[in-house]
Amino acid sequence: MRQPQSRKLLQLQALSLLLFIIALHSRLHGCSGQGEAADGSASTAAAPMEEKEKRALYAAIEGFVGKGWNGSALYPDPCGWSPIQGVSCDLFNGLWYPTVMSIGPVLDNSLQCSADAKFSPQLFDLKRLKTLSFYSCFPATNPTPIPATSWDKLAGSLETLEFRTNPGLTGPIPASLGRLSSLQSLVLVENNLTGAVPAELGSLVRLRRLVLSGNGLSGQIPASLGGLKGLLKMDLSNNLLQGSLPPELAGLGSLTLLDLRNNSFTGGLPSFLQGMASLQDLLLSNNPLGGSLGQLGWERLRGLATLDLSNLGLVGAIPESMAALTRLRFLALDHNRLTGDVPARLAELPNIGALYLNGNNLTGTLQFSPAFYQRMGRRFASWDNPGLCYSNAAVDAAHAPPGVTVCKVAGGVGDGRKPEASSSLMATSSASNLINGFCFFLWMVATSLL
C-alpha cells in the first residue's frame, strides 16, 4: 500500500535532518579528535582516555591550583569536548594522553597557581608528557624546591621543561634532571635557585637550549656541558658564577648564542671562542675577565651579529681584525681600559647599527666620516676617552661626536674642552645615548632568542 505523499515527504525531511546532524557532529568532534594520532595510526571520533591517566591529570593540576578545583566535574572529557586551557593531548594506540601542561597567568582563562601551590606525585604519572611549563606559579611567600626525584619517570617523553618568573622556586637544580634523556629545552629563568650548575646536565645529549639566567647560581661552569654537541643557545647570565671558562666548552660547535653577562668570570677571553664559527651573539659584559682583545682572531667569527664586551677590564688596543666582522650589528667595548687609536675601518662595517667605545683610554683622532656620525646618531658613543679627539676640518659641529674634544692640530691631542654645548645638554645626550643603546641591544638579543 502506497504511503500518502505528505507523509513520505516528512520522512525524507527527517532523514535529511538526521544526516545533517550526524555530519555536523562528526565535523565538530573532528576538530579535536580526527586525523593522524601521535603514533601514526588513524584516530577515532570518540577515543577514550585511561581513567588512571585522567585521575593523574586532575591530581597534578589540583596540587598547583588548589583543592577547591574540581576537575572531574568541570572537565569530564579533558582531551575531548571539555578541554582544559593549557593542556593538550595526543593519541597513542587509540587512547588520549596529555602531552602538554602549561600553568600560569598567560591567558585570561589559564590555569593559575594557588598561594600554596605544590608538586603532586601524580605529575610524574603522566607518562606521555612532552612539555611542562610554569610561569609565575610560586611566589616568594611560598618557597618550594624543584622535586629532587621521580624525573626519571618522564625520561622517555619530556622534551621541554620551563620555570619562568617564580621567586618562590628555591633550592638547587636537581641533579636528577640529567636523567631526562629526551629533553631538548631546559629553561629556568628568574627564579630563586641557588647552588652549583649540576654536572649531570651534561648528560642531556639532545639538549638544544639551556637557559638558567636570573637566579643565584654559584660556582664554576661544569666542564661536562662541553659534551652538549647539539646545543644552540646557552644563557647563564645574571647569576653568581665565577672562575675561568672551561676549555671543554670548545665542543659546543653548534652554539649560536652564548650569554654569560653579569657574573664573576675571570681568566680573560678564552681562545676556544674563535673556534665557535656558528656564534651569532656573544654577550660577556660585566665580568672581571681581564685580558685583551688581541687574544682572539676575530676574522674567524664572521657570523657574529651581537658582540657585548663592555666592563670586562680589557686592556690593549682594538685590533684591526674586528673590522672583518661584516655581519656585526651591535658592538659594545665601553667601560674597559682600552688604549691606542680607534681603527677607522670600524666605520666600514656594513651592518653596524650601534657602536660603544666610551669609558676607555683611547687616544688619537677619530677618522670616521660625518655621514657615519649622522647615520649612527645616539647609537655611537666615544666620550670619556680623555686622549681622543676629532678634526673639525673633517667634521662640522652639527655632526661632531658628543663628549669628544676638537683636536688642536690634525692628528694631535685634544685640548680638553667640551663641544659647544652646556654641561646639562651633554649629560642629557649621554644619558639618552645609553638608554637608546640599551633598548637597541635588548631588541637584538630578543630577536636572536626567538
Side-chain angles (χ1 to χ4, degrees), residues 1 24 40 52 135 139 152 177-178 204 207 210 228 264 281 287 308 327 333 340 361 375 402 410 431:
M1 184 175 184
L24 180 61
K52 180 181 179 181
Y135 168 68
D152 55 316
L177 294 186
L204 302 174
L207 206 63
L210 176 62
L228 302 176
S264 297
D281 303 288
N287 283 285
D308 185 1
R327 296 185 181 180
L333 301 175
N361 297 314
R375 176 173 63 86

Side-chain angles (χ1 to χ4, degrees), residues 106-176:
V106 179
L107 302 173
D108 290 340
N109 58 342
S110 295
L111 295 169
Q112 299 191 30
C113 283
S114 62
D116 59 347
K118 62 181 180 180
F119 291 91
S120 170
Q122 286 86 352
L123 173 67
F124 301 100
D125 292 333
L126 299 173
K127 52 191 173 184
R128 299 283 188 176
L129 203 60
K130 292 182 179 180
T131 298
L132 182 58
S133 174
F134 300 89
Y135 168 68
S136 193
C137 192
F138 300 98
T141 54
N142 181 28
T144 306
I146 298 176
T149 60
S150 300
W151 291 103
D152 55 316
K153 293 183 178 180
L154 302 178
S157 63
L158 198 63
E159 298 175 356
T160 299
L161 178 61
E162 297 190 357
F163 291 89
R164 297 179 181 267
T165 316
N166 295 280
L169 198 67
T170 60
I173 298 174
S176 57

Side-chain angles (χ1 to χ4, degrees), residues 390 400-406 417-422 426:
Y390 74 95
V404 180
T405 59
V406 178
R417 292 178 297 176
K418 295 291 184 181
E420 295 179 2
S422 68
M426 285 303 304

Side-chain angles (χ1 to χ4, degrees), residues 115-447:
D116 59 347
K118 62 181 180 180
F119 291 91
S120 170
Q122 286 86 352
L123 173 67
F124 301 100
D125 292 333
L126 299 173
K127 52 191 173 184
R128 299 283 188 176
L129 203 60
K130 292 182 179 180
T131 298
L132 182 58
S133 174
F134 300 89
Y135 168 68
S136 193
C137 192
F138 300 98
T141 54
N142 181 28
T144 306
I146 298 176
T149 60
S150 300
W151 291 103
D152 55 316
K153 293 183 178 180
L154 302 178
S157 63
L158 198 63
E159 298 175 356
T160 299
L161 178 61
E162 297 190 357
F163 291 89
R164 297 179 181 267
T165 316
N166 295 280
L169 198 67
T170 60
I173 298 174
S176 57
L177 294 186
R179 300 175 186 171
L180 294 170
S181 55
S182 299
L183 205 63
Q184 299 179 23
S185 177
L186 178 60
V187 178
L188 309 176
V189 173
E190 294 181 356
N191 302 298
N192 199 16
L193 299 171
T194 55
V197 177
E200 287 80 0
L201 297 185
S203 301
L204 302 174
V205 294
R206 296 187 181 181
L207 206 63
R208 299 294 179 266
R209 181 169 61 161
L210 176 62
V211 182
L212 308 178
S213 60
N215 289 284
L217 301 173
S218 57
Q220 298 185 335
I221 296 179
S224 61
L225 296 189
L228 302 176
K229 305 297 184 182
L231 196 65
L232 301 176
K233 299 180 184 295
M234 177 188 285
D235 183 354
L236 307 180
S237 62
N238 298 291
N239 279 290
L240 304 173
L241 298 169
Q242 58 188 9
S244 58
L245 305 182
E248 287 80 4
L249 295 187
L252 304 179
S254 301
L255 209 62
T256 62
L257 167 73
L258 179 60
D259 189 350
L260 303 177
R261 292 171 296 157
N262 302 309
N263 282 286
S264 297
F265 293 117
T266 55
L269 295 171
S271 59
F272 67 73
L273 288 175
Q274 63 192 1
M276 294 182 170
S278 298
L279 267 183
Q280 299 174 17
D281 303 288
L282 178 59
L283 313 171
L284 302 177
S285 60
N286 300 315
N287 283 285
L289 271 177
S292 70
L293 291 170
Q295 294 174 248
L296 298 184
W298 294 100
E299 66 278 359
R300 300 176 62 180
L301 293 170
R302 295 178 183 272
L304 279 178
T306 307
L307 181 58
D308 185 1
L309 303 178
S310 61
N311 195 26
L312 296 182
L314 295 172
V315 297
I318 300 174
E320 287 278 347
S321 60
M322 298 195 82
L325 302 176
T326 54
R327 296 185 181 180
L328 206 59
R329 294 180 292 156
F330 179 97
L331 175 59
L333 301 175
D334 55 288
H335 296 96
N336 286 291
R337 298 196 296 274
L338 299 174
T339 56
D341 295 338
V342 177
R345 290 181 59 203
L346 291 182
E348 300 174 8
L349 291 171
N351 295 300
I352 196 69
L355 175 59
Y356 296 94
L357 306 174
N358 51 297
N360 283 288
N361 297 314
L362 298 169
T363 57
T365 304
L366 284 172
Q367 301 292 336
F368 301 154
S369 68
F372 172 81
Y373 297 124
Q374 186 175 11
R375 176 173 63 86
M376 298 290 285
R378 296 178 177 179
R379 297 188 303 275
F380 173 73
S382 57
W383 57 79
D384 291 338
N385 285 283
L388 199 63
C389 63
Y390 74 95
S391 172
N392 61 356
V395 182
D396 58 46
H399 299 124
V404 180
T405 59
V406 178
C407 297
K408 284 183 177 180
V409 182
V413 179
D415 58 10
R417 292 178 297 176
K418 295 291 184 181
E420 295 179 2
S422 68
S423 59
S424 60
L425 179 60
M426 285 303 304
T428 302
S429 176
S430 298
S432 299
N433 279 331
L434 289 172
I435 292 170
N436 282 276
F438 183 66
C439 293
F440 183 84
F441 165 72
L442 288 179
W443 172 78
M444 285 192 298
V445 171
T447 58

